[in-house]
Amino acid sequence: MKPTDFFFGAMDFFAILLPGVVLAFLLLPISPAVFGPVLPALDSEPKQWTAFAVCSYLFGHLLHQLGSVLDRAYDSGY
């Protein structure tokens, strides 16, 4: 596999991107209260979609890792 190859399969979509999109969408109304004036306002729609996509991808990875940790705890018998 070369670093220039980018493969995006069903596992990536259903296990990472889809939960991240749902979480980002649910957190969208409270984001101004959380971040306040720390982040600049996004003035154009492409910038807003890009920020949403990046946040969705990151949230998806965090949720996937959390699920992995919970799965290991469940398998160990706690």
Side-chain angles (χ1 to χ4, degrees):
M1 182 174 204
K2 296 179 287 186
T4 57
D5 292 342
F6 183 74
F7 179 70
F8 191 79
M11 168 72 177
D12 299 320
F13 179 75
F14 288 111
I16 294 174
L17 192 59
L18 194 61
V21 166
V22 171
L23 183 63
F25 183 75
L26 291 175
L27 293 177
L28 194 59
I30 65 166
S31 63
V34 172
F35 296 112
V38 174
L39 297 176
L42 301 174
D43 54 353
S44 67
E45 194 170 337
K47 289 180 185 178
Q48 292 171 351
W49 277 110
T50 303
F52 184 77
V54 170
C55 288
S56 298
Y57 190 69
L58 291 175
F59 287 157
H61 275 286
L62 291 174
L63 288 173
H64 193 265
Q65 183 63 31
L66 178 66
S68 175
V69 168
L70 292 175
D71 189 37
R72 272 190 247 132
Y74 178 76
D75 286 341
S76 66
Y78 286 114

